[in-house]
Each structure stands twice: as C-alpha cells, then as structure tokens.
Amino acid sequence: MEENLMKNIPIMQPYFDDEEAKEVADALLSGWVAQGPRVAAFEQAVADYEGSRYAIAVTSCTTALHLCMVALGLGAGQDVIVPSYTFVATANAAAYTGARPILVEVEPRTYNIDPAWTADFILRNYTEKDGSWFCRQTGNRLSCIVPVNLFGLCADIPAINALADRFQLKVVEDSACALGAAIGDTREGGFGNPSALSFHPRKSITTGEGGMVLTNDASFAEKVRKLRSHAASLSEVQRHQNKGYLLPDYDEIGFNYRMTDIQGAVGLAQMRKIDFIASRRKALAARYDRLLPEAVSFLKIPYVPENYTHVYQTYACMVDLAVLGLGTIEEGNQFRNELMDRLEQNGIATRQGTHAVHTLGYYRRTYGYQPMDLPHAYACDRLSIALPLYVAMTDEDQDYVIEKLVNLSEGIL
C-alpha cells in the first residue's frame, strides 16, 4: 500500500507553459535559427532585469567564464584564485586559458569564498614586486580572482573588490546560480566586475543549455562579443547588412560560443515570467526555513546574511555533526549518503550541494591537494544535501519530503 502512495519528487523541474513552444515555433518559421534577433532580445531582457549595460549570450556559463578570462588576457604564467567549493567548471575555465587555478577556502555558513582566509593565503604564498604579486614557489603572477555566487547567494563582493584592489587583481564573478541575487539594491554583476550566468535546466530560468556575460564596460563587451563568434571582424548581422556574400577577416583566435535563436526564443518566454518564478522559489524556501528546524534539527538550513537577497537556485542544507553526536566529517558523510539513498528509494531526488574541486582526481593529481588542505570546502562537499525545490512543487510535496526526512533518518546511526 505504501508503495502505491510513493511520490516522485525531482530535485528540480523547469517551469514551462505554452509561451516557450510558441516562441520556438515562431523562430523556426522565421528561418533564422542561428544567433540572431531573438538572442539579441533575450540579451536585452536579461541586461534590463539585472541592471547591466551589456549582455552577451553564449553556449554555457563555462564558456562565458572562459571568454571573460580570455578577454582579460589571462594565460600561462598567471594564477587565478577560485574557491574550492564550486562546480568544477569554474576552475576548468581558468585552466583552459593556460593559467593555474589556485583553490581557496570558503565560509561554511554561506558556502562562498572566504575573503579574509584568501588575503592571508596570498600573504603567505606570494611576494609583491613592482605592484604585482608573484608566487614564491612557481614565479607565477597572481592575476585574477573568481568569486562564486553559489546556490543563488552573492559572495561578499565588496570585500572581494577590496581584496582585488589590495593585490591588483582582476575579478570575474561566477554567477551561474545567481540570476537576480543581490546585496542591498545591487544585483550580481552590478559591482563593477564582469559576471557569467547559466541557463542550464537546474537554474531558475533555462534555455536548455546556455550562458551569458554581463558587464558595464563597452570595450570589454565588444571584445567578448567578437571572441564568441570566431573573433570575426564583423558580426553575422553586420555581414548580412553589408555584402553578406563576403567572409569577414579573422585577425585573432576566437571561439564558436554562440547561442541559437531557438534558445533565445525560450529565454525570452522564460524572462517574461522571471518575477513569478523567483517569488515562487523564495516562498518555497521560506516554507522549508519555517518547517525544517523543528522537524529535522540535524540539518542546518541556508544562511542568508543581512541585506542579501538569496534566489535559491539550490536549497542546500548541511548535516550538523554536533546535533547527531558525530565526531568526524566521514561519519557525517556516511549518515548523509545513507539518508540520500533512502530518500531516492522513496521517490525523492536529492544531491550533494556541489563538490570541493581540490578533492577531484585531476586537481589532486596535478597539484597534490589533500582533502584537509581546505577543511571547510571538504566539509561542505561531504555534508551538504540539496533538497527538491521547483515552481510546481506543492505544499503536499514539501510535506512529503519533510516527513520522509524525519522517518528515514531514524535508525541510520
């Protein structure tokens, strides 16, 4: 009988209605399905929403980060600071340029980069010369820092900007999860740095795959716009308006990172309902916040600093070792994994929040990281659990998740 009552609760479900299908059909009928007018309209809609002057749509947040780093001149012989607790793409994007990703610690309450720890790390490992900072071990110049606005909560960007000024660093914000996130009245991407968004299906709005660079710098925007299309001297629109039968010149290496107009059409429809999507996700998160502490005290709910706007791309909790009476991260990890397995068997999808990049095979082998080199990032990797949250989720669905968290946690220890 119980089996028949089992629900199927996904971790995330995109929110679509008839508008997406209509926009895609119109794009197909227009005959212009590669990057074109719908991508341009989608770019403008996102820029207006975030308060940025320029938006450049690309194939993913990973390629958005890569283009930002190429446009900033990053490459071999340079170091790029990246918080370890992030999806591997953040560090990979730096590695694509030939630069060396330098993985640093995070604050366990926010999951975001720890500015004070990072400043101490720089002072311990780098030496200043002629206004730049060089690694004592490799001689590499420290050039850039990439704060990640993880799970929909901004990192302490003012502190990061101050750190960047102190050590003469460029800043690129990884805002894959953070469309609409803000500190005070300033949304991500509005702190003077280029930022990179994602439109993957697990994000608040989606184009299937897709990403975008936001910036207020006209020359930087033009550089990124050129690089995304093989570094052609003319855009597709410009070429078609002026002797389209002739190919443009290519005077530098570029990339094919263009978004299609089919994706742009989906994005346009999604942006028309962004306020509803955001408000619904925040309401669901607030309900979790209210019900979880009493029902399952062994989970720490997401922390939101005062004056920050969290958009809850992921509702990430942490297993509380003290409440469970556990002494080690590994014991907590065993508890979490068993709980997640039991939830899966009962139709509830969960995920670890994300991984600690310094624990992943390539980064361990290449740079010799050990798990406890960055203990907070490691703990977040091993103890985090993301609960289902999506627009169509009902109170009954949430109640089912909470009920199963209570019942299925019994007897694990």
Side-chain angles (χ1 to χ4, degrees), residues 328-340:
T328 68
I329 292 172
E330 297 312 322
E331 289 175 326
N333 178 250
Q334 290 176 13
F335 173 87
R336 182 202 69 177
N337 291 355
E338 176 63 25
L339 178 60
M340 291 171 73

Side-chain angles (χ1 to χ4, degrees), residues 283-295:
L284 288 164
R287 193 167 188 270
Y288 270 142
D289 286 348
R290 188 171 69 254
L291 297 177
L292 282 173
E294 183 174 352

Side-chain angles (χ1 to χ4, degrees), residues 145 159-171:
I145 186 168
I160 293 297
N161 282 350
L163 187 149
D165 288 342
R166 178 180 178 184
F167 295 106
Q168 297 302 300
L169 304 178
K170 297 162 183 171
V171 181

Side-chain angles (χ1 to χ4, degrees), residues 197-254:
L197 297 170
S198 172
F199 304 116
H200 180 273
R202 273 198 65 189
K203 303 306 185 282
S204 297
I205 69 164
T206 184
T207 57
E209 285 283 1
M212 193 171 286
V213 174
L214 299 179
T215 180
N216 290 324
D217 186 315
S219 61
F220 184 83
E222 186 55 36
K223 177 74 170 176
V224 170
R225 200 173 283 121
K226 183 179 179 183
L227 286 169
R228 77 168 166 186
S229 190
H230 303 286
S233 58
L234 295 175
S235 70
E236 290 294 303
V237 173
Q238 289 171 324
R239 186 164 70 85
H240 282 285
Q241 290 173 344
N242 182 29
K243 296 184 179 181
Y245 49 83
L246 296 177
L247 291 174
D249 190 17
Y250 299 86
D251 56 6
E252 61 182 314
I253 294 291

Side-chain angles (χ1 to χ4, degrees), residues 8-13 85 87 111 151 200 202 299 313-319 333 336-337 339-341 343-344 347-355 380-389 401 405:
N8 180 20
I9 311 289
I11 187 71
M12 168 59 179
Q13 189 178 74
Y85 191 59
F87 187 59
Y111 308 114
F151 301 146
H200 180 273
R202 273 198 65 189
L299 286 184
Q313 178 270 335
T314 293
Y315 191 87
C317 301
M318 283 276 281
V319 170
N333 178 250
R336 182 202 69 177
N337 291 355
L339 178 60
M340 291 171 73
D341 186 58
L343 290 167
E344 185 79 19
I348 298 170
T350 58
R351 299 287 187 273
Q352 72 181 84
T354 190
H355 42 226
C380 290
D381 175 303
R382 305 292 280 182
L383 302 178
S384 60
I385 177 170
L387 301 181
L389 192 150
V401 171
L405 280 168

